[in-house]
Amino acid sequence: MKKKLIAGNWKMNGSLSANKTLVDALLAGSRNAQCLVAVCVPAPYLAQVQQLVDGSVIALGGQDVSQHDLGAFTGEFSAAMLKDFGVRYCLVGHSERRQYHGETDQVVAAKAQRALAAGITPVVCVGETLAEREAGHTEEVVKRQLAAVIHANGHCISEIVVAYEPVWAIGTGKTASVEQAQQVHAVLRGQLRAATAQADRVHILYGGSMNAGNAAQLLAQPDIDGGLVGGAALKPADFLAIIAAAQ
Ligand code: 13P
């Protein structure tokens, strides 16, 4: 069985001193982790956290990447730049990027392509809003979001990570029930199976108010291969408890 993957998404939080305190605590507590661990940090802190996690079990992740290769795109940064800082994973299409920055399925697919081409694993985020769930459109929405990435990256689709993050569960304290989460994960697995014989290799993470109390139950589901953790990833004891639950 593959190891689970627990990734923290720090979002727009942190400072040089807070990052050091957090990472030092994570390093001390995760030495014997039986799962894969990553932290997705704000871009200005990549160099700092690269040094802090060097040689440890904690992999470095980015939160976004440009859909372009290089050139006149002020404010953006490329996959090659992330690679320069030892980035192993990169979130693409987080719902906050889709919502506040108008990222379309096609843009997200292009970002995944850039990451893959640079040797970085894109963590492709999909998920429905509350209105979409209540209208019965959950499966249709997540399948459409993943289909765009499969269409653009079919030949290496087994190299991606997928994160199912129901938008209504992000930062709200509301978690999808284990049944709701497993059901969507099974849909996504089925879609990957139709695209590749290696679908079982792909990590499908759950994200949305995952915490020390609910992680074990979620991670016990057959198609939940890890977690993408927001708020709890900023609290060492909570993040370490989630890592411990993923053994
Ligand atoms: P919370 O864990 O804070 O709900 O955030 C989830 C998330 O968006 C991770 O990418």
Side-chain angles (χ1 to χ4, degrees), residues 2 26 40-41 65 68 79 132 170 174 178 182 189 195 210:
K2 63 182 178 286
L26 296 181
C40 299
V41 312
V65 65
H68 304 290
E132 288 165 340
I170 294 177
K174 282 186 204 157
V178 288
Q182 166 56 29
R189 182 84 63 203
M210 185 180 263

Side-chain angles (χ1 to χ4, degrees), residues 27-138:
L27 289 171
S30 64
R31 248 179 238 124
N32 299 318
Q34 299 300 307
C35 62
L36 304 170
V37 181
V39 288
C40 299
V41 312
Y45 296 121
L46 285 170
Q48 181 205 12
V49 180
Q50 178 189 25
Q51 292 208 335
L52 290 174
V53 302
D54 187 39
S56 78
V57 298
I58 302 178
L60 186 60
Q63 297 179 6
D64 186 29
V65 65
S66 176
Q67 64 180 302
H68 304 290
D69 196 18
L70 83 175
F73 301 103
T74 301
E76 297 202 26
F77 44 89
S78 69
M81 293 173 189
L82 293 178
K83 191 70 183 172
D84 257 351
F85 289 94
V87 164
R88 167 88 181 72
Y89 299 97
C90 183
L91 307 183
V92 296
H94 191 281
S95 62
E96 289 150 16
R97 302 287 320 167
R98 294 179 190 262
Q99 193 180 345
Y100 306 135
H101 300 272
E103 290 190 10
T104 62
D105 295 337
Q106 283 62 40
V107 167
V108 174
K111 289 183 172 201
Q113 214 167 6
R114 291 292 178 197
L116 285 165
I120 292 171
T121 301
V123 178
V124 176
C125 303
V126 300
E128 81 288 2
T129 63
L130 186 58
E132 288 165 340
R133 173 164 284 269
E134 285 176 345
H137 294 154
T138 298

